[in-house]
Amino acid sequence: MVLDNLAKSLRDTLKKITRSSLIDEKLIDEIVREMQRSLLMADVDVSLTLELTGRVERRAKEEPVPQNSNPRNHLIKIIYEELLKILGKPREFHIKPATVMLVGLYGQGKTTSAGKLAKFYLKHGYKVVLIAADTQRLGAYEQLQQVAQNVGADFFGIYGEKSSLRIVKEGLSRHKDWDVKIIDTSGRNAIDNALTKEITDISNLANPEETILVLDASVGQQAGKQAKAFHDAVKITGVLISKLDGTAKGGGALSAVTATGAPILFIGVGEHMDDLEYFNSARFLSRLLGMGDFETLMAAAKEMQSAFDDESIEKMTKGKFTLKEMYDLWDQMSKPGLFKKLFDSLPLAKMQPKEMDDSFFTDSEDKIRRYKIIMDSMSYYELENPEEIKGSRIDRIAKGAGVDSSEVKGLLRDYKRMKDMVKNLRGNRKILSMMKKQMQGNVPENLEDLANQ
Ligand SMILES: Nc1nc2c(ncn2[C@@H]2O[C@H](COP(=O)(O)OP(=O)(O)O)[C@@H](O)[C@H]2O)c(=O)[nH]1
Ligand SMILES: [Mg+2]
């Protein structure tokens, strides 16, 4: 995954939020500091970072939490929205017949990207020709020819020809019937007059629908300066950020380009011809933040909400707590994994003793399943009056459930323990109100819903 470190640290920050029992100023300050660290490490410009986190802090502290949300979700929503701002609004790229010109400095990934784009168009059933207009670099002709062969596109070049303009003129006139013509142009070490003149001349001649600037993500914030300079020289319609795989500086490149107002159209995420992706800022951010994980968490919260709705809590804490109540509670909680998810995301997690590791939860789930089988062979009277279950009743139940009587005894022991716990809970209104608070507020289906709340 691209921007691994940034992704990990932002996810940790979100996790911290979802696991906090209280969203207070102290937590917000902590979150803001964490975000600053993560963004700076990903090479995002200092003032951009401070602006962003300043907005997060202000909004988190000042904005009232909407009725249909809760402080936790509201904070996550603010973070999501502010991060999205620095990734910019995507420009939708339409796949249709076009002349596409690629520009950029040496080694940025123009030729490779030309092949990737060709493959993109080919997949849509278009007839594609790659035109080799790089007359500067040694071996540029062969490289593009090779790339074209790789992806199955047609190739045009004039070996040894020094005038890129002549190549383009010839190439376009010979391929009038091709849907897509992709022009791979020369780079330079820096934007100079020669490069500016060369690409302006080609642009005037070819009149391309798309002029795409290819920028290597590893140049980081410098990408912004390059984007601006190229835009001044020849009107670019969008940017392709290459090599976003394996560079920690990607955050700098993405945010700096966005800051210039140039839309990012594609990202290159590897050396292979398939390693090209449309850039959609919302989708990119969701993936970065682990929207999948987030959805899981939200789904778990929803399930918890029903397992711990007011009625269940009332039932649990008021009146008699019999085996029947325990059965109902376990019935709701016996969905696979729910136990663990529940403990992970509840504020109670902080009180979670060390021995409650993963095996505790899987063991618990397994145990609940077995206990439910045992309870299924109890009579209604026994479920309501567990203290009456003794002697021959135990043997009868064990036989009915196909278990050893020691397991029935174990169940009764656990029931007594749980009953005591519930008794304690009754006396501890603080935990109870914390649990209730935790369960209140709408749980959104996913991040986008959350953002729309
Ligand atoms: N890892 C990775 N390497 C890339 C990507 N795009 C291009 N490259 C590599 O970058 C180097 C320069 O690419 P090239 O297309 O020749 O750059 P050009 O001089 O702008 O035409 C080559 O070794 C490519 O394989 C990418 O998205 N990811
Ligand atoms: Mg090249």
Side-chain angles (χ1 to χ4, degrees), residues 107-112 116 137 143 243 245 268-271:
Q108 301 287 302
K110 290 180 298 299
T111 306
T112 313
K116 291 177 180 177
R137 180 172 246 178
Q143 192 195 350
K243 311 183 203 180
D245 53 306
V269 293
E271 292 189 65

Side-chain angles (χ1 to χ4, degrees), residues 420-431:
D420 287 345
M421 202 183 90
V422 170
K423 226 192 264 164
N424 279 336
L425 208 57
R426 249 176 240 168
N428 196 336
R429 302 210 62 82
K430 209 169 139 207
I431 291 187

